[in-house]
Amino acid sequence: MGDEELAKDLGPLAALTIGVGTMIGAGIFVLPGEAAAAAGPAVALSFVVGGVIAMFTAMSASELGTAMPKAGGSYYYVNHALGPLFGSIAGWGNWMGLAFASAFYTLGFGEYLATFLPMPAVPLGPLVLSPNQVGALAAGVFFVTVNYVGAKETGRLQNVIVVTLVAILTVFSVLGMLQGDFSTLRPFFPEETGGAAAVLPATALVFVSFLGFAKITTVAEEIKNPGRNLPLAVIGSVAIVTLMYAVIMVVLMGVINWDALGASATPVLDVARIAFGRVGLAAAGVGLLTFAGLLATASSANASILASSRINFAMGRDRLVSPWLNQIHERFTTPYRSIAITGAIIVAFILVGDVKTLAKAGSVLHLIVYGLLNLALVVMRESDAPEYDPDFRVPLYPVVPVLGAASSFGLIAFMKPIEITLALLFVAGGVVWYFVYARRRADKQGVLSQYVLHRADEMPDGAVSAARTVSPDGGSFRVLVPLANPEHEKDLITLASALARQRGGRVDAVHVVSVPDQTSLEYGAEHVDEIDRESAELLEQARRDAETFGVPVETHTVLSHESFEEIFDVARDHGADLTVMGWGPDSHGAPGRVEGTFDELTADLPCDFLVLKDRGFDPERILVPTAGGPDSDLSASVATDLRAEYGSAVTLLHVADGDEESARAFLESWAADRGLADADLRVETGDVEAAIERAARDHTLVVLGATERGMLSRLLGGSPALDVVDHLDCSVLLAEQRRRRSLTERLFGR
């Protein structure tokens, strides 16, 4: 029986950068001037207070995320615990809040773009777009398009952006500290701003800077080792940005007096001009911080658009919105309707121009959701739901979630009345939506109502994890076969089954289906037939082919945001001893292609790897070139198994660079040590590649140990183990043995 698995693609750094990359934009590059005017030097304390409030919710979100790693994050937790009425409020609040924030960040991008790329005002019907709006509109359309078509490298790009930003801001902070006059921070609570009473209103103003950490929970199902990495990422991102905000605000106000900073449209650039100017690098400093501002606002906007599609999916799954929104694109496999509608809303907000009020109304909506999230944790704990088993538990329960709910709801009181009113209108809209549309369609009760009604036996399912079926037959040796191209399926399964039978093991056939970052893995699992129509047929054929050998076989469809790289995680998760995979171009355009460059295998391997360049699998006459390296041992072992299975004739080839007699003695000894003393021994001299080509003419399969040279050496200088493959007429099996390499060995070889 086959099954579908959701790949764990995100490591701790990738998860951390989702939160940091979203939060780092507004607090540093968009709001400092307005924030300084609101509270003076005490705004640094406002950021710390905001971080503490966010930290309470971050801990609650971490516990809920490790117990229920589902797409939708905070929306899902509220809907699951408190029911679909509150779920409607949380879902619509999150969605609209993200749309407001995306427009806000994109307009910030336009402001920084206009500082070095002057653009004219553009008439658009009755509107006249300012230069900032022109840049923001171009950026907004670009970000929406990137998510619409499902650009695959957005996740990795986010990592690079965040690391680059942190490096630039660290340099900026150090220079600012050295150049600053911190006497400008006195008095810390200036009377002009209202003294200490201005701290909480300023906290309400800047809290939009802390909305990114909850986005990590929307991809909780894709995080490796979520019990450890999810809390580290969520709590760590809040801690990092809180420290950065406080330090950078102190630096800004140490270089420029807070009242002058409050009057500046581009405070960070003004400070950079002074701080870098005192070391003769004013232009370079302004350029560097402008670049950082573009990166930060772009990262925040793109991450918000990406997160919105996950919330739509989760609401559609629970029937709180029409499943029409969740339809995937036939070509791009993205939830294109959801992204397009969100994109249209964002573009409309950009055309309005001043979205600061809407962005702060979005902060109110998020604070409402955060308060509900903390209450959801209390409900899950007190209901003692049988499926609730978090790997991380908040300390000092119930103090943390109670403080989290109270501080989140309480901070709303310090927002402006217009911002609160707008947010409450959206809350009312969510309530109306529930009673008009969702109530009749939602088939799920919250844990709270079930707890009250004492109906624990009908509690909804918690986190769903895919189970891997294990055959009761066969030994412990496991051969993993990642399949992609139907043309090579039979040969790969035949090879894997022969090796598994010789070692008393089983075959594990896997098809990796690549899902764009914009589409959640859970949604992909529910619609795998639409995303990859060949998966079921490919795995069923693999099962039939393996069973002809009498070898136990399991089949799995693995959904991943990676493709080739996912093979290593699958091999590790399935406990594979050997992986047999194809190597060749993607000639059919099948999604989830795993056949690619073998240079990826320079990383530490989770098991032994065999990579078949398939020109028709025929093990009748096998050639094994050897120079005595560790991968040659695997080549010899494979040749021995194939000889036992098929009665193959085996030839061992050693290319000598000197004395042929010594070379033959080496080859005889090497063969005897590996049980191949009766194989045909062949010694040649001269060029290694030419010698292998000559010998291969008389053989049907070449089993070649992978080079020990490292990744950069292969890419820059080539490798006989790779170059010779294209010149042979028969199939080639490239073997690489599991072993640990140092970083130097991985990059440059031994």
Side-chain angles (χ1 to χ4, degrees):
M1 172 181 167
D3 60 75
E4 295 162 0
E5 301 178 9
L6 307 185
K8 303 292 187 182
D9 292 331
L10 300 176
L13 177 61
L16 183 71
T17 57
I18 291 172
V20 174
T22 306
M23 289 188 281
I24 206 171
I28 294 173
F29 294 98
V30 179
L31 289 175
E34 187 178 356
V43 74
L45 179 59
S46 296
F47 274 106
V48 173
V49 173
V52 171
I53 293 173
M55 187 64 76
F56 290 137
T57 301
M59 287 191 280
S60 295
S62 295
E63 175 172 328
L64 291 166
T66 61
M68 300 178 285
K70 303 282 282 187
S74 53
Y75 152 74
Y76 177 81
Y77 311 142
V78 172
N79 186 63
H80 185 76
L82 304 182
L85 172 59
F86 291 100
S88 295
I89 295 171
W92 281 101
N94 254 333
W95 187 17
M96 289 299 100
L98 287 169
F100 297 157
S102 295
F104 180 59
Y105 298 141
T106 307
L107 283 164
F109 180 92
E111 287 183 17
Y112 279 92
L113 188 64
T115 61
F116 75 93
L117 186 64
M119 288 174 287
V122 175
L124 186 66
L127 301 175
V128 178
L129 301 183
S130 69
N132 292 353
Q133 285 175 286
V134 173
L137 187 62
V141 171
F142 174 75
F143 297 143
V144 172
T145 302
V146 165
N147 284 278
Y148 186 96
V149 302
K152 277 296 299 172
E153 298 304 317
T154 53
R156 292 181 181 178
L157 183 61
Q158 184 86 343
N159 294 351
V160 174
I161 287 174
V162 171
V163 171
T164 303
L165 273 174
V166 171
I168 292 173
L169 291 172
T170 299
V171 172
F172 172 69
S173 299
V174 171
L175 272 177
M177 284 284 188
L178 296 175
Q179 306 294 335
D181 176 11
F182 297 104
S183 64
T184 59
L185 300 180
R186 296 191 294 269
F188 191 70
F189 300 107
E191 292 183 5
E192 299 95 309
T193 63
V199 171
L200 287 178
T203 301
L205 168 68
V206 302
F207 197 77
V208 69
S209 308
F210 290 96
L211 303 185
F213 69 89
K215 292 183 179 66
I216 300 172
T217 64
T218 67
V219 294
E221 63 185 356
E222 300 161 31
I223 296 176
K224 299 175 182 177
N225 189 12
R228 172 182 178 272
N229 291 335
L230 178 65
L232 282 178
V234 174
I235 296 171
S237 64
V238 173
I240 289 170
V241 298
T242 300
L243 178 63
M244 291 183 67
Y245 286 155
V247 170
I248 290 174
M249 286 305 301
V250 168
V251 168
L252 292 177
M253 291 180 293
V255 175
I256 295 180
N257 195 281
W258 66 268
D259 52 355
L261 195 72
S264 172
T266 54
V268 172
L269 300 187
D270 293 344
V271 172
R273 188 175 291 108
I274 295 172
F276 283 86
R278 291 174 181 171
V279 292
L281 297 171
V286 171
L288 189 64
L289 267 297
T290 300
F291 175 65
L294 290 170
L295 285 181
T297 50
S299 171
S300 297
N302 187 62
S304 297
I305 295 170
L306 175 61
S308 70
S309 65
R310 302 300 179 85
I311 293 169
N312 293 152
F313 157 72
M315 294 178 71
R317 174 190 58 203
D318 297 329
R319 301 183 183 181
L320 297 188
V321 296
S322 169
W324 179 88
L325 274 177
N326 284 343
Q327 290 299 308
I328 60 173
H329 197 284
E330 288 187 4
R331 178 182 174 190
F332 303 127
T333 63
T334 57
Y336 67 104
R337 291 173 177 169
S338 169
I339 293 171
I341 291 175
T342 303
I345 294 171
I346 292 169
V347 168
F349 291 155
I350 292 172
L351 294 177
V352 169
D354 184 5
V355 296
K356 286 185 178 179
T357 299
L358 286 175
K360 292 166 189 172
S363 292
V364 177
L365 290 172
H366 276 90
L367 283 166
I368 292 171
V369 174
Y370 291 168
L372 293 175
L373 183 149
N374 282 283
L375 295 179
L377 173 63
V378 175
V379 168
M380 295 306 297
R381 282 280 195 107
E382 297 305 314
S383 67
D384 197 25
E387 78 277 7
Y388 188 73
D389 184 23
D391 293 321
F392 169 84
R393 289 182 177 268
V394 298
L396 303 176
Y397 175 86
V399 174
V400 167
V402 169
L403 286 177
S407 58
S408 296
F409 291 136
L411 191 61
I412 294 173
F414 295 94
M415 298 284 190
K416 293 179 180 178
I418 182 63
E419 298 159 3
I420 298 173
T421 301
L422 283 172
L424 291 179
L425 286 176
F426 279 100
V427 170
V431 173
V432 171
W433 179 264
Y434 170 74
F435 284 106
V436 171
Y437 177 88
R439 186 180 185 184
R440 291 177 286 109
R441 293 172 174 83
D443 57 357
K444 179 177 181 178
Q445 287 183 306
V447 170
L448 177 61
S449 62
Q450 297 179 56
Y451 177 66
V452 171
L453 297 173
H454 301 286
R455 293 166 57 186
D457 58 322
E458 297 180 12
M459 282 196 176
D461 292 338
V464 177
S465 60
R468 177 162 61 84
T469 59
V470 178
S471 168
D473 303 315
S476 60
F477 189 84
R478 182 178 293 274
V479 182
L480 180 74
V481 190
L483 297 171
N485 192 333
E487 290 189 359
H488 301 308
E489 172 274 325
K490 187 176 183 65
D491 287 343
L492 289 171
I493 288 293
T494 297
L495 171 60
S497 299
L499 297 174
R501 184 158 72 173
Q502 286 300 313
R503 305 191 190 192
R506 59 168 60 92
V507 170
D508 197 349
V510 171
H511 182 49
V512 179
V513 176
S514 183
V515 178
D517 291 337
Q518 292 75 15
T519 304
S520 77
L521 294 183
E522 187 174 357
Y523 184 88
E526 293 175 2
H527 298 81
V528 68
D529 291 338
E530 301 172 42
I531 297 173
D532 191 336
R533 293 178 176 86
E534 74 177 12
S535 181
E537 182 179 349
L538 181 65
L539 291 175
E540 181 55 32
Q541 184 59 49
R543 174 184 297 282
R544 290 195 296 266
D545 290 336
E547 287 175 347
T548 61
F549 283 81
V551 174
V553 58
E554 303 171 21
T555 60
H556 308 264
T557 298
V558 176
L559 291 102
S560 172
H561 290 307
E562 306 291 341
S563 53
F564 181 83
E565 299 87 346
E566 180 57 29
I567 296 171
F568 302 99
D569 289 332
V570 173
R572 188 175 294 108
D573 294 342
H574 285 213
D577 299 286
L578 174 68
T579 295
V580 177
M581 58 185 287
W583 175 20
D586 182 3
S587 57
H588 300 283
R593 175 65 52 200
V594 296
E595 299 167 354
T597 172
F598 198 61
D599 287 315
E600 296 286 350
L601 297 187
T602 52
D604 289 334
L605 301 182
C607 64
D608 295 341
F609 268 73
L610 297 177
V611 183
L612 179 65
K613 181 70 171 180
D614 191 8
R615 299 185 177 98
F617 178 64
D618 180 0
E620 182 180 356
R621 299 184 305 279
I622 300 174
L623 175 68
V624 182
T626 179
D631 293 318
S632 295
D633 292 342
L634 178 58
S635 302
S637 175
V638 169
T640 300
D641 287 340
L642 293 178
R643 182 174 66 172
E645 182 69 26
Y646 295 105
S648 308
V650 177
T651 299
L652 306 181
L653 170 66
H654 179 62
V655 183
D657 56 3
D659 180 28
E660 285 193 44
E661 185 175 342
S662 298
R664 180 166 291 277
F666 157 76
L667 188 57
E668 289 174 351
S669 173
W670 187 89
D673 290 343
R674 287 153 185 82
L676 290 169
D678 55 345
D680 182 28
L681 306 184
R682 184 167 176 171
V683 175
E684 295 199 16
T685 58
D687 180 71
V688 174
E689 186 173 346
I692 294 174
E693 287 183 37
R694 288 193 301 271
R697 292 170 190 156
D698 302 324
H699 294 82
T700 59
L701 177 66
V702 175
V703 184
L704 189 62
T707 176
E708 292 180 14
R709 297 173 64 190
M711 178 169 56
L712 295 184
S713 298
R714 295 184 190 189
L715 292 175
L716 296 175
S719 164
L722 300 180
D723 297 341
V724 72
V725 173
D726 293 328
H727 302 150
L728 303 183
D729 295 326
C730 63
S731 292
V732 179
L733 192 60
L734 199 60
E736 183 149 0
Q737 205 165 25
R738 176 184 183 180
R739 61 179 180 273
R740 302 284 297 180
R741 289 187 178 94
S742 68
L743 178 61
T744 302
E745 289 172 339
R746 292 186 209 173
L747 294 178
F748 300 105
R750 297 187 179 184

